[in-house]
Amino acid sequence: MKSTVHCKELPCLDVSGLLLRPAYYASGVPDDQQSVGVNPPDFVLSIQLTSQDFPYSLQVLGSCCFPCSLFMVPICLWDPKVVVAVLNIYISDILFGTSPGGNQNSTSHTTRILCWIMTGPKNLESRTNHIRATWAKRCNKVLYMSSTKTDFPTVELNVSEGRENLYWKTIRAFQYIYQNHLDEADWFLKADDDTFIVIENLRYTLSKYDPEKPLYVGRRFSPFIAQGYMSGGAGYVLSKEAVRRFNKGFQTGECTHYSTLEDVAMGKCMETMKVEAADSRDVKGRQVFHPYPPDYYVVRRPPRPRPWYLLYDHYTPVEGPGCCSDFAVSFHYIYAVQMYALEYLTHHLRPYGYKYRFNPDERTEIKTTTKMAKSKSRPESNRESVERTENCCSQTLSIQPH
Amino acid sequence: MFMKGMIMGGIFCLVLSLLASFNPSTEHTTEDHHHHHLQAPSKDELKHFSHSQMEDLSNQVRVYCIIMVQPKILVYWAAAIHTWSKHCDKAVFYTSEASKALEAVDLNEKDDWARLRKALTHAYENAGDLRWFFVAQPTTFAIIENLKYLLLTKDPNEPFYLGNAAKSGELDYVVYDSGIVLSYEALKRLVNVFKDEDKCPERGGSLWNVGEEKQLAMCLKYTGVFAENGEDIHGKGLFNSKSVESLISDSMQANPTNVVEGCCSDMAVTFNGMSPDQMQVMMFGVYRLRPYGHDFHDLLLFDPPVGSNND
């Protein structure tokens, strides 16, 4: 079924709730050779929907859809009738209902994240409270794991408090999640009650992986474990398959309470169960998970041998502004004031009109037409999208049922 | 007799009313700057401008940064050079005495007020085609893009004097350490009144024991320029005399259930009291760190500075 698209000045359609796996590749390259960060002259945005309501896979061929970001499909490419017919009620809510950004409470069907926070009764008010007030609400699901059940609410893990019991807590937490919440998410984040997480950036980082593969993502450390292990404080993420294998490991006895060092012990089990340790760095090789606060990394230093807090890094660490990704996911040893300060710096304070240097989605730079002259100040982006639609709306929209 | 009395009374009345309406101070321009609050433009306001008008506006808001330094605070001086000042269209450092380590305009002046006067005069004489002036202390951290947004629709040929406005008795003044903004017209009037030793003495500081921020306000007042508070469209102050952490800490006390919203503006222009290391972290926090997927469709675009790698 093919239909010619009609150009209209319409806002971007947020399909982040419907996207499983974005695939950018030059036309003709098959699906399994996807690689984010490659800049082909044309791109294909492939949307696959697993829900029974949406049995179609949509492919849009074109190169002009710049004004919208990764999970936004510009409506310039779609006849609204076609969109509504194929994508059902979800779309009409977005098009004619509330604003696209307003779907705060809609679960992302693609990169759903369950966050569990390792905490204890002593820290609920002084630390965990502030996590709840800041980043926890962006998780698809959040669980606060403690030794006791409270109205915070916390989940009781039947383990006593203390550093030596951290691995027991982790084991019990993942067991609890496996038994009660496995289907509610694709990825399972473990964080401490002094870890600051940027969930949007975690989603972005994880979007390039398949949660059905056994994967383990975080700040990779070298010692003790052959394939390395992920820093506990910086937060780490297990894919759904990794959670299954972690639990299986303890059921069969392949994994044991190897160490009181929670992150090393987790690394050992992951290695035993053949869960792969991933490279979480961004396309520029900058770190995304951080076991210390930003000032440890960002501050410029003269060239020197690795300081103690960088000794374990698996990938050669960089000190100074090149340390950390624009889309950083975590910082650790963040207490109340810094937690809110980071929330403010990440989600609130911004430089108006600033053209960020790092723009991984800016693909159309390669295929700019002569109309797109760069100037120091630009008018409303909508005007530019009208110019670009002249190009893209001559493309055809193909919809293939599967 | 009666007629004489009437005429006397009439003349008396006339003279009285003439005296009352006689206002010795100043030229007020058509725009009354007594309203004290200066708000940033709203998105709707900006939608009315055409492409070329926006180009003109963005050219008009170019900023000349006047950064007052001293050799004894070299680390802050260096921090300003390597962080926020790179975003000024022109950043000039004015020092009390020369330093071998860093370059600046050496004013060779220990008195704070006299030094500020000299710096402002120098800036006026070297403004070129820049029309907005931002005076900072070494402990100030500024986000120049947000300053430009605040000033976007304001005419620099009108007298503007703004920042974090405070009151001392009857005098409204702009607090120094959260940054002082002057339009070209305000600076022009100021440089003129510097010549008047009665209204605006050079050694006034030692005479009256009043800080230079208040002296500045007094001199400007003589020229009909009044302090205004720079605010966002929600009325939140954009110029802060405290650091981010300090403001957050205050907000945790004042608004424990709504700490971040109750704190500072999303479009804040200045903070003060941050260490050089914290300023480097701010560069990362402001110009890099952000959540993926949020597009703002701002109506202006500011390119990153050339030859800089921490923004």
Side-chain angles (χ1 to χ4, degrees), chain B residues 21-50:
Chain B
S21 67
F22 178 59
N23 194 337
S25 54
T26 68
E27 331 145 35
H28 284 275
T29 53
T30 46
E31 206 182 306
D32 182 13
H33 289 250
H34 275 259
H35 44 69
H36 300 309
H37 302 273
L38 194 109
Q39 286 202 343
S42 68
K43 217 167 177 161
D44 294 322
E45 231 182 289
L46 296 179
K47 283 203 169 113
H48 299 305
F49 290 99
S50 73

Side-chain angles (χ1 to χ4, degrees), chain B residues 36 165-173 210 213-214 217-218 221 227:
Chain B
H36 300 309
K167 218 173 173 69
S168 171
E170 279 304 311
L171 181 71
D172 285 318
Y173 68 98
V210 166
E213 59 193 358
K214 296 193 183 94
M218 289 193 279
K221 195 170 177 178

Side-chain angles (χ1 to χ4, degrees), chain A residues 33-70:
Chain A
Q33 281 175 35
Q34 60 181 324
S35 53
V36 178
V38 168
N39 296 314
D42 290 290
F43 70 88
V44 175
L45 180 66
S46 155
I47 308 172
Q48 292 170 313
L49 310 164
T50 53
S51 164
Q52 278 159 347
D53 291 334
F54 312 111
Y56 298 105
S57 111
L58 298 152
Q59 283 181 316
V60 174
L61 297 152
S63 60
C64 64
C65 307
F66 169 64
C68 302
S69 57
L70 180 60

Side-chain angles (χ1 to χ4, degrees), chain A residues 38-112:
Chain A
V38 168
N39 296 314
D42 290 290
F43 70 88
V44 175
L45 180 66
S46 155
I47 308 172
Q48 292 170 313
L49 310 164
T50 53
S51 164
Q52 278 159 347
D53 291 334
F54 312 111
Y56 298 105
S57 111
L58 298 152
Q59 283 181 316
V60 174
L61 297 152
S63 60
C64 64
C65 307
F66 169 64
C68 302
S69 57
L70 180 60
F71 296 110
M72 313 273 269
V73 176
I75 294 178
C76 71
L77 293 179
W78 307 81
D79 183 318
K81 290 200 293 291
V82 171
V83 170
V84 171
V86 175
L87 297 177
N88 213 333
I89 299 164
Y90 281 180
I91 303 308
S92 64
D93 273 343
I94 295 166
L95 266 181
F96 309 116
T98 52
S99 63
N103 288 337
Q104 297 298 339
N105 51 6
S106 76
T107 47
S108 184
H109 294 287
T110 65
T111 321
R112 295 172 304 163

